[in-house]
Amino acid sequence: MAGLCHPASAPPIFGYIMSNMNYSGNPSFVGSDEVRARFSQAMSAMYRQEVPQYGTLVDLVADINRDALNADPVLHARLERAGELDRLDVERHGAIRVGTAAELETLRRLFAVMGMEPVGYYDLSVAGVPVHSTAFRPVGDAALLVNPFRVFTSLLRLELITDPALRQKAADILARRNIFTPRALELIAQCEAAGGLSAADADAFVQEALETFRWHSTATVDAQTYRALQSSHRLVADVVCFRGPHINHLTPRTLDIDAAQAAMPARGMDAKDVVEGPPRRNCPILLRQTSFKALQETVRFTDDEGAHTARFGEIEQRGVALTRKGRALYDALLNEVRDMRSAGSAADDYSQRLEQAFRAFPDDHGALQAQGLAFYRYSLTAIGQVQAGAGDADISLELLLAQGWVHADPITYEDFLPVSAAGIFQSNLGGEEQKQYQANAAQQAFEAALGARVHDEIALYEAAQQRSIAQLRAALRGALTAEVA
Ligand code: OOG
Ligand code: NI
């Protein structure tokens, strides 16, 4: 059955979880989109309390988005047509890091309750970060419009700790903790069995799930263990030494990341040096990100007091999703300007070199569309709706666009970028040292730990584009039939 939650007894290793399809028709169940919206809101409220600077960042982004929409009626119209205006104010992503396969697998089940499925595989070891990751997010067109909340989720790769005794110690510490409340586990199982949750159970689920992501200022280890793990990699200490995988940042979406970056210092935020991702363009592509640096926080070890840096705030600007061809061009141009092994490093002329290299990437939607570099959703224009009956159902998309009968609206990129993610990790770990690991993507091992395959993100955009073309063709045929009759 394609239910709200997937039965625990049958991990969908051979297929995708269709958790956005609505559940077993029980009208008293709350839809998964609604549970996700409530959870994302609760998480944002909790993080505002935990990290007040994040609240300042959200307020700044709201101001900048209002200015950007007022200044650009075309952008306003496009976002409105795409249904994205409403989601803009609630849009967030967050990130967590876990230590074991069992933790990752239960997280997959927890996110499934909220219609969030694993999308994409990111190997961060190439950039000196000993984790690999996926993003849990909604995948359906309608679900994305309601609330696109995503959680970038990383699994620590203990095998990359070189000292065998330390590796064993970390594994032992992780084996002793349970990051989920008993009630959260019950509600996940109940949702899987019944196909949904009632309103009261959904509220309880949100509260219980929140506990997993809460910050704990008391570590579970002594100061010496913390330091030993930290010397292996700062991230190892962050994952291993605490009771749970505290949410380490939340990220609102801005329509003008350069304006937001420039305004951060005036509001007391220590902004990261460079904006990750592509340069500023007329037609934004993929994702650009920046953050304020992680705060130093006091923590209590079992025997002493110390400080830990982990939690920060980030902003992102999203653009059009790229096809495989577009992504290959993006990766090639980015590689020209930066060395993968030193992601996050900011040479003084970095922005200039980036802009220079990206002159080779077409910067108008007509060219991006015609050259098959980006994905679009096609729909009839007002003229198209009037004229369609006079046409021919098999008329080419090119001609339809040229005649002004069809709009091509950019499909927003909903995912992440590994080089950018590495830059975000690095600038927020504190400390200057740069580790190197052998690059070794291990998607199969990751999926085995997860208990499911991850979606191929590009295939999802391709399918969304195809659905819009099929709808367009159906509308054209409908208009023709009406004309003939
Ligand atoms: C995740 C960093 C990656 C992004 O937006 O690319 C990320 C982390 O620091 O755990 O969130
Ligand atoms: Ni992030």
Side-chain angles (χ1 to χ4, degrees), residues 203-458:
D203 282 337
F205 169 81
V206 167
Q207 287 314 310
E208 297 290 332
L210 212 54
E211 292 307 310
T212 296
F213 303 93
R214 192 180 289 288
W215 169 247
H216 301 281
S217 58
T218 45
T220 57
V221 300
D222 58 37
Q224 199 217 325
T225 305
Y226 175 86
R227 278 193 296 271
L229 290 167
Q230 198 179 39
S231 69
S232 152
H233 194 289
R234 300 179 79 92
L235 203 97
V236 175
D238 183 58
V239 176
V240 175
C241 301
F242 296 90
R243 283 215 320 268
H246 37 261
I247 182 93
N248 66 50
H249 66 283
L250 278 181
T251 306
R253 175 176 171 193
T254 175
L255 297 172
D256 187 344
I257 199 164
D258 301 290
Q261 167 94 340
M264 268 158 66
R267 300 213 195 181
M269 286 174 264
D270 180 12
K272 177 177 180 310
D273 300 325
V274 292
V275 175
E276 300 287 342
R280 186 180 185 87
R281 299 161 44 91
N282 294 324
C283 301
I285 53 171
L286 298 172
L287 176 64
R288 301 181 69 210
Q289 296 159 286
T290 183
S291 59
F292 66 73
K293 296 210 183 119
L295 314 169
Q296 274 244 343
E297 298 175 281
T298 306
V299 291
R300 243 173 309 121
F301 302 111
T302 53
D303 59 347
D304 199 359
E305 215 173 74
H308 183 67
T309 38
R311 300 181 321 139
F312 58 99
E314 184 193 31
I315 46 179
E316 64 185 15
Q317 180 168 7
R318 291 187 173 267
V320 66
L322 298 185
T323 60
R324 286 185 212 284
K325 181 179 167 196
R327 180 56 188 267
L329 180 58
Y330 172 80
D331 287 338
L333 297 178
L334 193 68
N335 270 336
E336 271 177 29
V337 274
R338 70 194 297 168
D339 178 1
M340 268 294 261
R341 281 162 306 161
S342 59
S345 70
D348 288 343
D349 61 346
Y350 177 74
S351 319
Q352 269 171 313
R353 283 188 293 132
L354 191 68
E355 279 192 18
Q356 180 87 30
F358 273 80
R359 292 201 185 126
F361 209 114
D363 194 15
D364 70 89
H365 282 301
L368 292 169
Q369 191 274 340
Q371 295 178 35
L373 293 167
F375 287 115
Y376 294 85
R377 252 188 210 103
Y378 298 95
S379 58
L380 283 179
T381 58
I383 308 173
Q385 279 167 21
V386 176
Q387 298 287 327
D392 150 5
D394 296 323
I395 184 170
S396 74
L397 204 52
E398 283 62 40
L399 206 54
L400 287 165
L401 285 164
Q403 285 174 328
W405 290 9
V406 164
H407 287 293
D409 280 314
I411 296 183
T412 299
Y413 187 62
E414 306 286 353
D415 293 288
F416 296 86
L417 296 168
V419 177
S420 298
I424 297 285
F425 266 108
Q426 296 292 6
S427 66
N428 285 293
L429 287 171
E432 297 301 322
E433 89 273 33
Q434 180 80 42
K435 302 270 173 180
Q436 307 261 314
Y437 299 102
Q438 283 296 333
N440 58 348
Q443 184 166 344
Q444 282 189 353
F446 184 83
E447 290 177 331
L450 181 68
R453 304 270 305 277
V454 299
H455 289 279
D456 170 355
E457 67 278 19
I458 296 185

